[in-house]
Amino acid sequence: MNDIYIINTHSHVNMLRETNIDEAVQNAIDNKIVTIVPSSTAEDIFETDKFIQKYNGVYGYVGVFPEEVKTFTDKTLSDMEEIIKHNPKIIGIGEVGLDYYWDKSFKELQKEVFIKQIEFANQMNLPLNIHSREAHLDTLEILKKYNKNSTAILHCFSGSLEFAKECIKEGIYIALGGVVTFKNAKKTKDVAKNIPLEYLLLETDDPYLAPAPFRGKENQPMYVKYVAEEIANLRGISTEEIAQISTENAKKVFKNIEF
């Protein structure tokens, strides 16, 4: 895989604690891995902006995570627009979406902010990186209704194969990470094995969800190659093929990535 780049479409490398961040970024670069870093709150869009400017081969999203929507104000969108205007390495809106797993008390606010960020992504003509946890049907329904022209990615996809196929019908990409390597992740393995490869993207979601060889330890961007390896094994094809196809897919989604 020496000549093949992998685009890691979702990595919180800036949140690493046990691993030196500079080393983790350099390890990714040495392994020909391009890293895209999402934002979470109305405040850390500025931190993401600064962080990605420090490194080659690192890009970013600006957006407010569903559990952090109480930090979102009307000013947030104008702040995001200013960052996008001055930093061409901001290549998407994320991570945005819905999460009903921990706290269902502000579902309506989550939906409201999700819709605002979809409309903003449409206005900016940028893709959407979407977090959806225990909210699959609402997520898809909102995208169908409000998303006009932004390519959508369901990050760390946790739905069934049937739901994946419904998403793909809407042109939504499926991003898979370390969970696909877990022995008991039958549903995710089923998705990895059977979705059309032209809708597959790779990610790590580090520092969380380290793949099987490192499970229980801190994840990092370069471990995306283990995700590619597992999907290749499930499909009976080479890791190089998974790397190449997923990278071509990512290049269609993100227009500004340079190698």
Side-chain angles (χ1 to χ4, degrees), residues 194-208:
N194 292 291
I195 61 166
L197 280 177
E198 60 266 32
Y199 284 94
L200 172 70
L201 296 172
L202 305 180
E203 64 165 77
T204 47
D205 200 20
D206 54 281
Y208 317 107

Side-chain angles (χ1 to χ4, degrees), residues 14 22 27 47 49 78 98 109 134 147 189 217 226:
N14 54 332
D22 290 337
N27 285 340
E47 297 307 313
D49 175 31
S78 57
L98 303 173
L109 180 61
E134 303 217 345
N147 185 28
K189 288 179 188 291
K217 297 179 182 176
Y226 295 96

Side-chain angles (χ1 to χ4, degrees), residues 120-140:
F120 177 73
N122 289 177
Q123 180 191 332
M124 296 288 105
N125 198 27
L126 287 173
L128 285 153
N129 186 272
I130 297 163
H131 173 105
S132 177
R133 192 173 188 192
E134 303 217 345
H136 296 324
L137 295 179
D138 281 359
T139 300
L140 184 57

Side-chain angles (χ1 to χ4, degrees), residues 10 38-40 61-67 69 72 77 80 92-99 110 113-121 127-133 139 143 152-155:
H10 196 108
S39 308
S40 298
Y61 305 102
V62 286
V64 177
F65 180 72
E67 287 181 46
V69 292
F72 184 95
L77 291 180
M80 285 160 63
I93 305 304
E95 71 185 275
V96 303
L98 303 173
D99 191 317
Q110 285 192 37
V113 173
F114 184 28
I115 290 164
K116 284 183 178 178
Q117 292 186 99
I118 290 170
E119 291 172 341
F120 177 73
L128 285 153
N129 186 272
I130 297 163
H131 173 105
S132 177
R133 192 173 188 192
T139 300
L143 284 169
I153 302 160
L154 282 180
H155 122 79

Side-chain angles (χ1 to χ4, degrees), residues 157 159-169 174 191 195:
F157 185 82
S160 65
L161 176 59
E162 290 70 29
F163 183 68
K165 287 177 177 175
E166 287 302 307
C167 294
I168 287 167
K169 281 181 192 171
I174 306 298
V191 170
I195 61 166

Side-chain angles (χ1 to χ4, degrees), residues 234-249:
L234 288 165
R235 298 188 76 116
I237 59 178
S238 70
T239 305
E240 288 80 3
E241 195 170 349
I242 290 294
Q244 192 162 13
I245 291 168
S246 65
T247 293
E248 287 303 316
N249 294 342

Side-chain angles (χ1 to χ4, degrees), residues 31-83:
N31 281 272
K32 287 191 159 53
I33 292 160
V34 174
T35 306
I36 312 178
V37 178
S39 308
S40 298
T41 71
E43 290 79 33
D44 81 358
I45 57 174
F46 301 103
E47 297 307 313
T48 303
D49 175 31
K50 288 178 195 165
F51 180 81
I52 66 173
Q53 293 188 64
K54 288 165 57 179
Y55 304 101
N56 293 323
V58 179
Y59 294 81
Y61 305 102
V62 286
V64 177
F65 180 72
E67 287 181 46
E68 300 290 345
V69 292
K70 291 171 186 175
T71 71
F72 184 95
T73 67
D74 288 341
K75 183 176 180 294
T76 307
L77 291 180
S78 57
D79 288 340
M80 285 160 63
E81 187 168 359
E82 281 305 305
I83 291 168

